[in-house]
Amino acid sequence: MNIKSEQEMLEYGRGYAKRIVKPAVIELVGDVGAGKTTFVRGLAEGLGVKEQVTSPSFTISKSYALPDGGNLVHYDFYRLPEPGIMKDDLMESLRNPDNVVVIEWGESVAEILPDEHIRIEINYTEEGREIKE
Ligand code: ADP
Ligand code: MG
């Protein structure tokens, strides 16, 4: 699917929220600036999160309450090739079946993600971004 603008990416995220069946684990794959965090902003809105979603790249993880219980937990392991204690934090988030867990740069924690997790790839193209689900 081709996504031509930031607005379209937000819309795609909002729409994706309707397809979420908890527990849900989504790994986002794509270069810096591809639109992973933009997707999460739309997803959060679609899931009914009231707070503003910002990139967790400095804090590694950010958590937002979901209206029907649980949290949207957003991780970004870009600056953390050795996840250390954040691995325990992620495992804890994965244990709650009411959570929706989204991970950017998940290579270093790949072995603790459930086998059946969702993987969404975002690639740059001349017209915008190409999504591969
Ligand atoms: P990532 O989390 O993958 O590093 P971000 O979502 O933080 O990326 O940033 C994507 C940037 O690219 C934003 O500044 C956004 O406005 C811009 N952008 C331009 N075109 C698109 C598009 N088609 N889809 C998503 N983002 C886009
Ligand atoms: Mg990001």
Side-chain angles (χ1 to χ4, degrees):
M1 184 196 315
N2 196 256
I3 305 277
K4 292 186 207 66
S5 65
E6 175 176 18
Q7 278 314 311
E8 274 191 32
M9 185 63 85
L10 290 168
E11 194 49 49
Y12 170 68
R14 284 185 209 110
Y16 202 92
K18 299 192 187 82
R19 296 157 56 182
I20 295 284
V21 179
K22 294 182 192 179
V25 180
I26 304 174
E27 180 186 11
L28 297 176
V29 179
D31 287 342
V32 172
K36 301 181 295 298
T37 298
T38 305
F39 168 81
V40 181
R41 280 167 53 209
L43 179 75
E45 216 184 297
L47 290 171
V49 169
K50 298 294 174 219
E51 299 148 82
Q52 177 74 38
V53 169
T54 54
S55 179
S57 49
F58 292 97
T59 52
I60 316 297
S61 121
K62 280 193 178 161
S63 189
Y64 308 90
L66 294 171
D68 56 346
N71 290 281
L72 167 67
V73 194
H74 182 193
Y75 290 91
D76 181 338
F77 291 103
Y78 184 60
R79 289 182 176 76
L80 213 64
E82 255 311 314
I85 57 161
M86 288 313 290
K87 203 166 174 170
D88 297 336
D89 186 288
L90 173 61
M91 281 167 81
E92 183 95 19
S93 296
L94 293 170
R95 256 198 297 274
N96 184 343
D98 285 329
N99 286 346
V100 175
V101 180
V102 184
I103 302 128
E104 299 184 34
W105 301 103
E107 287 84 352
S108 64
V109 293
E111 77 284 1
I112 62 171
L113 301 185
D115 291 341
E116 70 280 15
H117 75 270
I118 300 161
R119 186 176 187 277
I120 298 175
E121 205 179 305
I122 308 171
N123 289 303
Y124 287 91
T125 64
E126 275 171 32
E127 304 101 84
R129 308 291 194 272
E130 182 64 29
I131 301 252
K132 266 193 240 162
E133 290 183 1

